[in-house]
Amino acid sequence: MNQPATTTADAADGQPASTPRVWLVTGYRAGERGQILALAEALGWPYELKQLSYRKFDLVTHLLPGGSLRGVQRASRESLKPPWPDLVISSGVRNEPVCRWIREQSGGDCRYVHIGRPWADPSLFDLVITTPQYRVPNRENVLQNELTLHQVSQTRMAQGAAEWENTWRDLPRPLIAVMVGGNSGPFTLGPKAAARLGREASKLARDSGGSLLVSTSSRTSAPAIGALQRTLDVPHYWHAWRPIEGPNPYWGMLGMADRIIVTADSIAMLSEACGTGKPVDMFDLGGMRQGADQPRDFRLGGLLYQALLNWGWAPLTRDISLVHRQLVDSGRAAWLGDERRPVRARASTDMLRAVRAVNSLLGEAGGPRGVD
């Protein structure tokens, strides 16, 4: 981001005295932003969105335990001024010292909620909401959820379905959504994995007499896109992610799909798929599940990451296989191609638990109010 911005979901000024003043120090990655906004929506309070720009090559500041704005560009600092919030919600290592600084300026009255991986010691946060892949130690102020927070709701899916149903009306049912990610840690989505995904998804659609709704993402490489397209041999709709704004069928796919395939590199997309309550299949990029011998794409970065997982410092890595095992063991998802068919996903209590934890932190009562 090149320019600082402050936006307000509802008018924060003039709000009732009993309503907490909430700041969202937004994540600089899409998955982090989505989780921050999802929690804010579920809490149901007005909030101010703080979008900050950071100095390059200032990693040391981000890793120091205290509060600081040293890593923030001067123009962005101007949006951080009183009245200070009662609650700040954020994610990402670069935002950690900023949020601690905000709490310090409030005289310690502000509560700081961090989502995802905490880079500092958990004791430096008021509440950490995290998931298994980060292997955060259990503490009183750490909430261990099964999956990441998301913005999936019946309303959003219904709106998406209404917007796209005419586009897909001629495709045979059942509709199988295919959500495609990319390289992640030790796992690589290259041409070999992408071609195998195309063959297996096509077979599933062909055997059921249905069709595919396929969407790539910002992390999907050009070679993987080409290999996937070449192997799709059933009726399908193809959406290629692009950085410019334009029609995005994502919510329509979640709303209209009868079944969802997700490449298992993306915990965020898996969380959203499971949030629909529909059957979910995870696609193994290669090496993701024990006992499966799939041809794998080579990537030097993947080998180095695997070495870090095996012998490095745990906070530097994430182990998404922990989430995979949990989803399979709980019956919320199955590996694509397994004989055991995925069951209809059970309702998640992750958001409810997160909202209750934040309410408790602020001395409030109640459950999610902002989403259905």
Side-chain angles (χ1 to χ4, degrees), residues 1 26-34 91-94 117 119:
M1 302 174 186
T26 186
Y28 32 88
R29 289 183 285 266
E32 293 172 344
R33 290 195 297 271
S91 183
V93 62
R94 289 187 289 185
R117 182 214 303 268
W119 289 87

Side-chain angles (χ1 to χ4, degrees), residues 9-26:
D10 293 302
D13 292 327
Q15 63 192 34
S18 60
T19 302
R21 184 180 297 274
V22 181
W23 285 7
L24 310 183
V25 179
T26 186

